[in-house]
């Protein structure tokens, strides 16, 4: 493209599927033949496997040499982008760089080879780690006890709303209290989780400061209120200053306060949801505590509760009798299990290592630098023509800031989506767009603490150039991206199961073949 010299260019390999690369008989490793030895030792191995579990047909796996496999995945990785490639300012997602040492620790065979059915006496080490992690997370959130089981934020929300239900049920108010209040700035999972637990979601609007409208909240609460789900700082990056008043309003009507802790990063070591009056808190381990996420990989969404609610937590609970760790199933009020075994242990171990390596002071610094970075970006981006910062623009933000590209769209036709696509041409990941829903043409930007000032400056510069280009040459932006391995996708087709082949089996089926 003209005028694009010196710009980022992503690799563009014409890389076939690994199934098409394979050639019969190629091998990665030639393993020594052990069959004879095994036969001598234990007899016919096949006879040891129950008949209905024996493989009858050959697996149709691609056959390749080691170097072919390495090159294949190296090429694919070059056509990709992640937190290890550069800035990933996806608002509300906290896409931070995750220290490799934590991956290394989670990969140690002493962790990876553990089996959840092992006898308690043989897993004292990991139980101690999980127990200590629970204590640290209760300290960080200001809660009384924490359950590590949930596998994601939304899963934690679901557990949280089930706990609300159990609490009201014990009080004989389960039928009456069938409403959960959520602000209009909430993450979509909040009303969805409430609905899954059988509640009706009642939406309250935000005021002109971007906070919960207190009058609207007072009007919404009633004896039907089971609880309020709140994100603080909220998805605009604004801290709800009236949180104590909000807690009072909800508690006075007999409701519970649920804290969506996906945005915990900016208040680590600074403020605690428990102290703000929240009864139930979930944490997104995979956002705040060093687990890469995106693409649906394993995560963890532990849920902390006030003392009053601990008896409802899922079983088993890890208890320590002063000498040994034990799994306690004897909890008559427990809602049961929310996930198999004890949660995603490898993810939890990374959080343990992360907290241990940073310490209390380090966690505070995480919060401070993440807020500093977000406000630095906000200040610089405010100077760009075409963008506005809705909701009192003088007020500092916490971890993220939400801009509107509405002026730019009205004047040039270039939308938030187009800006996001064009950013990719600069070798930068786009921010979250069109969320929260209360901001038109929203660009939700969260830089996190893990990117250097130079990287933030590069982002600001790219945004400035794109907005200038919108006024002079909007066509280039409307067709973007040009420099990536995949050019502009049809948004609808790209997320429709009928157009996608997500596995080799699906691919063959689309072409009229079977595996
Ligand atoms: C990410 C996020 C969630 C959901 O977390 P998952 O782990 O993706 O289920 C909930 N609320 C907010 C504010 C979030 O940013």
């Amino acid at each position: 493209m003209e005028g694009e010299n010196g710009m980022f260019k992503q690799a563009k390999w014409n890389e076939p599927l690994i199934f098409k690369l394979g050639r019969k008989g190629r091998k990665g490793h030639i393993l020594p033949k052990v069959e004879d030895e095994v036969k001598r030792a234990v007899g016919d191995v096949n006879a040891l496997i129950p008949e209905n579990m024996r493989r009858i047909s050959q697996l149709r796996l691609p056959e390749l040499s080691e170097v072919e496999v390495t090159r294949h995945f190296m090429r694919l990785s070059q056509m990709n982008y992640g937190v290890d490639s550069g800035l990933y300012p996806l608002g509300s997602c906290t896409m931070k760089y995750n220290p490799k040492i934590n991956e290394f620790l989670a990969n140690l065979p002493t962790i990876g080879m553990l089996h959840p059915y092992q006898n308690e006496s043989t897993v004292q080490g990991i139980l101690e780690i999980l127990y200590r992690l629970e204590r640290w997370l209760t300290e960080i959130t200001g809660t009384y006890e924490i359950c590590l089981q949930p596998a994601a934020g939304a899963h934690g929300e679901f557990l949280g709303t089930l706990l609300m239900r159990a609490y009201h049920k014990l009080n004989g108010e389960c039928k009456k209290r069938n409403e959960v209040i959520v602000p209009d700035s909430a993450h979509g999972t909040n009303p969805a989780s409430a609905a899954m637990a059988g509640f009706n979601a009642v939406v309250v609007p935000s005021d002109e400061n971007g906070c919960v409208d207190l009058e609207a909240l007072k009007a919404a609460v009633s004896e039907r209120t089971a609880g309020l789900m709140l994100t603080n700082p909220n998805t605009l990056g604004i801290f709800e200053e009236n949180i104590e008043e909000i807690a009072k309003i909800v508690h006075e009507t007999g409701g519970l306060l649920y804290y969506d802790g996906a945005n915990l990063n900016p208040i680590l070591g600074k403020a605690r949801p428990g102290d703000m009056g929240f009864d139930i808190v979930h944490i997104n381990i995979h956002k705040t505590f060093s687990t890469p996420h995106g693409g649906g990989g394993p995560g963890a969404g532990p849920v902390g509760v006030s003392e009053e609610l601990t008896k409802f937590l899922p079983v088993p609970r890890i208890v320590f009798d002063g000498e040994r760790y034990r799994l306690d199933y004897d909890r008559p009020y427990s809602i049961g299990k929310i996930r198999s075994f004890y949660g995603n242990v490898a993810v939890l171990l990374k959080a343990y290592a992360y907290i241990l390596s940073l310490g209390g002071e380090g966690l505070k610094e995480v919060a401070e630098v993440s807020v500093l970075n977000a406000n630095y970006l906000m200040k610089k981006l405010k100077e760009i023509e075409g963008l506005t910062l809705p909701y009192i623009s003088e007020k500092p933000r916490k971890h993220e800031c939400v801009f509107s590209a509405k002026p730019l769209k009205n004047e040039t036709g270039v939308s938030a989506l187009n800006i996001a696509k064009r950013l990719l041409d600069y070798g930068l990941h786009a921010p979250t767009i069109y969320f929260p829903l209360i901001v038109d043409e929203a660009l939700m930007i969260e830089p996190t603490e893990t990117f250097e000032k130079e990287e933030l400056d590069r982002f600001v510069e790219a945004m400035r150039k794109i907005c200038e280009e919108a006024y002079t040459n909007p066509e280039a932006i409307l067709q973007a991206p040009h420099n990536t391995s995949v050019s502009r996708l049809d948004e609808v087709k790209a997320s429709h199961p009928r157009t996608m082949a997500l596995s080799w089996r699906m691919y063959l089926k689309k072409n009229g073949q079977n595996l």
Side-chain angles (χ1 to χ4, degrees):
M1 231 186 92
E2 245 189 34
E4 302 271 318
N5 288 344
M7 253 179 121
F8 161 86
K9 238 183 172 24
Q10 198 170 34
K12 198 170 190 162
W13 298 98
N14 195 7
E15 189 66 11
L17 292 174
I18 198 161
F19 286 89
K20 298 199 163 176
L21 271 178
R23 293 287 176 273
K24 197 137 193 61
R26 287 204 187 148
K27 285 194 167 54
H29 285 284
I30 298 169
L31 298 171
K33 263 206 170 351
V34 288
E35 274 167 30
D36 292 343
E37 279 172 48
V38 175
K39 224 177 223 166
R40 240 175 285 133
V42 294
D44 184 5
V45 198
N46 280 327
L48 297 174
I49 304 169
E51 207 164 334
N52 62 346
M53 293 175 89
R54 282 184 218 159
R55 185 176 295 149
I56 24 182
S57 59
Q58 279 291 25
L59 284 182
R60 295 238 247 131
L61 295 175
E63 296 178 59
L64 300 100
S65 64
E66 177 178 323
V67 67
E68 283 177 304
V69 176
T70 304
R71 284 181 186 149
H72 176 71
F73 287 107
M74 178 57 79
R75 286 182 178 144
L76 292 185
S77 78
Q78 287 170 348
M79 296 196 283
N80 212 338
Y81 187 95
V83 278
D84 289 358
S85 325
L87 189 70
Y88 210 123
L90 216 47
S92 201
C93 287
T94 317
M95 301 292 279
K96 53 165 90 172
Y97 172 79
N98 306 290
K100 297 286 174 257
I101 178 100
N102 301 332
E103 292 296 330
F104 168 79
L105 293 170
N107 275 320
L108 289 176
T110 40
I111 297 295
M113 301 300 279
L114 288 174
H115 195 282
Y117 279 137
Q118 259 175 259
N119 188 290
E120 249 168 47
S121 66
T122 67
V123 288
Q124 287 293 305
I126 191 69
L127 290 182
E128 180 178 350
I129 286 176
L130 296 177
Y131 182 85
R132 288 173 67 166
L133 179 64
E134 283 188 1
R135 297 322 308 155
W136 292 347
L137 294 178
T138 55
E139 177 64 29
I140 288 169
T141 53
T143 53
Y144 193 77
E145 270 194 37
I146 273 210
C147 166
L148 299 174
Q149 275 180 32
H155 198 190
E157 290 171 29
F158 179 53
L159 169 57
T161 43
L162 290 180
L163 294 173
M164 271 186 198
R165 173 163 287 280
Y167 169 81
H168 292 305
K169 197 169 174 188
L170 195 65
N171 293 341
E173 295 195 324
C174 183
K175 283 221 165 62
K176 186 175 79 182
R177 295 194 181 269
N178 64 353
E179 291 179 354
V180 167
I181 300 173
V182 285
D184 60 359
S185 60
H187 197 266
T189 48
N190 290 187
S193 303
M196 274 184 73
F199 295 108
N200 299 324
V202 176
V203 178
V204 287
S206 305
D207 64 13
E208 68 279 5
N209 298 331
C211 292
V212 172
D213 186 322
L214 286 183
E215 292 314 310
L217 178 66
K218 281 180 198 159
V221 291
S222 73
E223 56 184 22
R224 290 189 306 280
T225 305
L228 166 77
M229 296 178 89
L230 198 68
T231 311
N232 192 23
N234 64 27
T235 59
L236 293 165
I238 296 172
F239 192 87
E240 297 277 354
E241 284 173 354
N242 298 319
I243 184 59
E244 286 173 341
E245 171 81 12
I246 292 170
K248 198 162 149 246
I249 294 169
V250 176
H251 282 152
E252 271 175 2
T253 57
L256 294 172
L257 255 86
Y258 181 93
Y259 182 87
D260 177 338
N263 294 349
L264 194 71
N265 208 43
I267 62 165
L268 280 178
K270 296 281 176 184
R272 309 193 309 169
D275 298 339
M276 297 176 207
F278 287 94
D279 308 286
I280 310 170
V281 177
H282 94 252
I283 304 170
N284 271 46
I285 292 285
H286 44 292
K287 287 180 183 172
T288 312
F289 297 102
S290 188
T291 277
H293 68 113
V303 170
V305 291
S306 61
E307 186 173 2
E308 199 179 1
L309 298 176
T310 53
K311 59 176 175 286
F312 302 114
L313 285 177
V315 284
R317 305 284 313 137
I318 302 170
V319 290
F320 182 54
D321 62 14
E323 222 167 276
R324 304 201 69 74
Y325 294 89
R326 198 166 54 74
L327 294 166
D328 181 13
Y329 286 85
D330 186 18
R331 303 268 169 145
Y333 293 100
S334 167
I335 63 150
K337 280 184 82 69
I338 191 81
R339 192 187 179 280
S340 53
F341 306 113
Y342 325 107
N344 280 329
V345 169
V347 171
L348 297 166
L349 184 101
K350 280 185 264 186
Y352 178 83
Y354 182 71
I355 296 172
L356 190 64
S357 62
L358 286 177
E361 285 309 305
L363 290 181
K364 260 188 209 164
E365 201 178 330
V366 164
E368 284 164 7
V369 179
S370 75
V371 172
L372 181 66
N373 280 356
N375 283 279
Y376 178 75
L377 271 191
M378 180 183 85
K379 208 152 181 332
K380 293 272 172 183
L381 293 172
K382 258 176 23 181
E383 293 160 9
I384 296 176
E385 194 185 339
L387 303 179
T388 58
L389 183 71
Y391 300 104
I392 34 173
S393 71
E394 305 76 42
K395 198 171 172 164
R397 298 300 196 258
K398 289 289 178 282
H399 56 302
E400 65 194 1
C401 51
V402 181
F403 278 85
S404 169
K406 203 172 168 199
L408 194 77
K409 190 178 177 200
N410 290 346
E411 289 159 31
T412 69
V414 170
S415 64
L417 173 79
N418 295 317
I419 295 176
K421 296 286 185 194
R422 187 62 170 146
L423 269 171
L424 308 182
D425 278 337
Y426 287 84
L428 293 158
H429 199 282
T432 300
I433 50 173
Y434 301 109
F435 178 70
L437 304 176
I438 49 176
V439 174
D440 279 339
E441 296 298 320
L443 291 155
M444 184 193 213
I445 306 164
E446 179 178 7
T448 83
E449 72 284 3
T450 60
F451 296 97
E452 311 297 338
K453 178 173 173 293
E454 291 75 15
E455 186 77 347
L456 304 182
D457 287 336
R458 233 158 57 73
F459 180 77
V460 173
E461 197 47 29
M463 287 291 288
R464 196 180 54 73
K465 280 200 186 135
I466 293 168
C467 291
E468 277 172 15
E469 196 182 23
Y471 290 98
T472 54
N473 181 19
E475 279 311 305
I477 306 183
L478 297 175
Q479 306 299 323
H482 308 277
N483 305 338
T484 47
S485 48
V486 177
S487 52
R488 182 166 295 211
L489 292 170
D490 181 320
E491 298 277 318
V492 179
K493 270 195 190 156
S495 55
H496 200 288
R498 231 179 308 166
T499 49
M500 303 228 280
L502 298 173
S503 65
W504 179 236
R505 191 191 297 268
M506 281 169 82
Y507 178 87
L508 288 179
K509 213 167 173 189
K510 269 188 205 304
N511 293 292
Q513 290 169 274
N514 279 319
L515 195 63

